[in-house]
Amino acid sequence: MMRRIAVLDAPTNLGLRPPTPTSVPGCAKAPGALRDHDLLARLRARDAGCITPPRYDPGDWRPGDGVCHAREIADYSLALAERIGSIIDRGEFPVVLGGDCSVLLGSALAMHRLGEAVGGRIGLVFVDGHSDFRHPGNASYVGAAAGEDLALVTGRGQADLAALEGRRPYFRDIDVVVLGIRAQDEYRLDLQAAGITTRPVPALRAEGAARTAQWAHEQLADCAGYWVHIDVDVLDPAVMPAVDAPDPGGIAFAELEILLAGLVDTPHCLGVELTVFDPDYDPDGSYAAEIVNTVVAGLAPVTAPEAVPPRLLPARPAPAPRRDTGRTTLAAERPGTPRPAAGDQQDDLGDPATVRNGADTVGRPLAGVPAPTDQPGPGTPTDSESPGDLGTANVPAPVHSASAGAPVEPEPVGPPASAGPGLLRRPSPPNADHSRPA
């Protein structure tokens, strides 16, 4: 039977710093912009409503004050987790339209509650152009939760965000797979040291998006199910500049479509969230249309008549640290293995405008993704992805890509459905004090 999708709007900007001292980020407009392109009708989805965020007001925040808007983000995460939980209780597949990446905290809390109910663990597939792993242990200060969300949901950072309801971490390091970060991500070595499995863009492209989705399934084989986070800045700014921190070296829409289809083509995928699209950089709506086309095609396995209802795997014993499990890890990510220089990785890729699938090169151009250049990408990143003082960001002029070209048929991916106890109801939230900033 078909899995019904429920679309929930989470139009929050709370995790971002302002583009300029007197402006407000535009990501809160993303759900409305995507709905304007008939997203719900094309998904045949139920409208699950909107969680209205608190007012965006950084006030007199300064470096050293902790995460900006922490109290508001905590309250919003609790409300979002409750709504996601109710969608899952109905046996539906939640699609959360952010907003910035801080929506992951609400999703993570919902998944931790569900894991507790099942007696197992829920994993996370984190598809993002940046690791978002800044935390007090590796940065001089924190401030924008959208650039720190992966650190927070894995238990790093201040307790009023990283330990809601006394739950910490929401996802264990060994239950997280990071896909699509740039090869020279600022915190890539920190991810490696934590035991978080990653597949940066060069490896993702070399293996192919479909095989990468299958690989992600395998990494989370010990989990009862998993949640998928997608930040659209995983796309190359040549095809998607309408984000707060465009960074060259991303993937194409065709690759994201295949990756998403592979990740959701299993009853163990519990839901998806989409973040960081900024309609302020998309005046004619063409980028919103591209995103909607990609999401609709990528979620086709969920709405197919033969789709299997969501199903959780039985609880398994906690695995040993990842290095002892025998799982596949890229040589470049293994401790003690010299990491290739950025130039070496590019040489291995050959033409970046060609998708490589295993050892065979598929001559399919990536729509609009150019070869690397020394020219900066459109727009100056705000501080959601890297620390620094508040500054002024230049709004990029839209650079419209060519059409996505011929449709790409995704490879069949995903493990066979495994019998499990089914979706269990979430427990009542435990009685625990919620830590609040002063």
Side-chain angles (χ1 to χ4, degrees):
M1 75 188 242
M2 176 187 301
R3 296 176 71 180
R4 188 181 187 188
I5 291 174
V7 175
L8 173 63
D9 292 2
T12 176
N13 280 337
L14 296 171
L16 295 171
R17 297 182 188 168
T20 69
T22 58
S23 64
V24 175
C27 291
K29 304 172 186 176
L34 299 176
R35 283 172 176 256
D36 282 347
H37 290 271
D38 298 323
L39 176 62
L40 271 71
R42 294 176 64 184
L43 290 174
R44 301 187 296 279
R46 180 176 73 87
D47 189 339
C50 174
I51 304 294
T52 303
R55 180 171 177 264
Y56 181 91
D57 183 6
D60 58 356
W61 179 92
R62 294 291 181 272
D65 292 345
V67 175
C68 187
H69 291 121
R71 182 188 299 271
E72 292 81 5
I73 292 172
D75 290 341
Y76 192 71
S77 298
L78 290 165
L80 184 57
E82 192 65 25
R83 188 70 66 87
I84 291 172
S86 69
I87 292 171
I88 291 177
D89 281 348
R90 293 168 59 112
E92 296 175 324
F93 185 91
V95 173
V96 179
L97 303 179
D100 68 65
C101 287
S102 67
V103 300
L104 179 58
L105 275 72
S107 307
L109 178 58
M111 293 302 103
H112 195 278
R113 290 175 178 176
L114 181 60
E116 182 179 79
V118 174
R121 306 188 319 277
I122 307 299
L124 171 67
V125 180
F126 188 84
V127 183
D128 200 307
H130 308 87
S131 62
D132 294 354
F133 204 61
R134 183 172 67 242
H135 58 80
N138 63 14
S140 58
Y141 67 88
V142 296
E148 298 149 16
D149 50 296
L150 183 58
L152 289 167
V153 300
T154 54
R156 297 165 174 87
Q158 56 201 62
D160 55 344
L161 294 175
L164 293 169
E165 298 181 345
R167 304 171 187 272
R168 186 174 192 159
Y170 311 125
F171 298 111
R172 294 176 52 173
D173 293 341
I174 59 173
D175 298 331
V176 176
V177 176
V178 175
L179 305 176
I181 60 173
R182 306 312 191 239
Q184 297 303 314
D185 185 89
E186 183 177 5
Y187 300 111
R188 66 194 186 281
L189 297 180
D190 294 322
L191 294 173
Q192 179 180 327
I196 295 175
T197 299
T198 66
R199 181 163 280 188
V201 170
L204 189 160
R205 183 160 291 155
E207 291 297 322
R211 288 188 176 91
T212 293
Q214 176 65 50
W215 175 81
H217 290 310
E218 295 166 357
Q219 303 310 302
L220 300 177
D222 294 316
C223 293
Y226 60 81
W227 181 262
V228 176
H229 163 90
I230 296 178
D231 182 334
V232 297
D233 70 16
V234 72
L235 295 161
D236 194 274
V239 298
M240 177 45 61
V243 297
D244 72 303
D247 195 1
I251 63 176
F253 276 106
E255 291 170 298
L256 180 57
E257 176 187 324
I258 295 170
L259 182 63
L260 176 58
L263 292 173
V264 303
D265 192 17
T266 167
H268 308 137
C269 180
L270 301 174
V272 172
E273 66 191 17
L274 192 71
T275 65
V276 175
F277 170 55
D278 190 337
D280 283 350
Y281 300 154
D282 184 25
D284 67 358
S286 60
Y287 297 126
E290 289 270 21
I291 293 172
V292 169
N293 289 339
T294 299
V295 170
V296 170
L299 292 179
V302 178
T303 58
E306 66 274 13
V308 180
R311 190 179 299 167
L312 295 177
L313 292 171
R316 302 186 185 188
R322 194 179 295 278
R323 63 177 178 274
D324 297 328
T325 63
R327 291 176 178 170
T328 303
T329 305
L330 296 175
E333 303 301 329
R334 294 186 187 122
T337 303
R339 305 179 68 84
D344 294 339
Q345 292 184 353
Q346 183 60 50
D347 290 342
D348 291 340
L349 284 174
D351 182 1
T354 302
V355 177
R356 289 179 179 265
N357 197 352
D360 299 325
T361 300
V362 180
R364 180 173 60 250
L366 303 184
V369 178
T373 70
D374 294 330
Q375 298 299 319
T380 301
T382 65
D383 285 333
S384 66
E385 306 298 348
S386 60
D389 295 331
L390 295 177
T392 300
N394 296 321
V395 177
V399 181
H400 295 284
S401 66
S403 64
V408 179
E409 293 295 332
E411 301 174 20
V413 295
S418 301
L423 285 175
L424 301 184
R425 296 295 182 252
R426 292 169 295 107
S428 299
N431 294 325
D433 293 334
H434 296 171
S435 177
R436 302 293 188 188

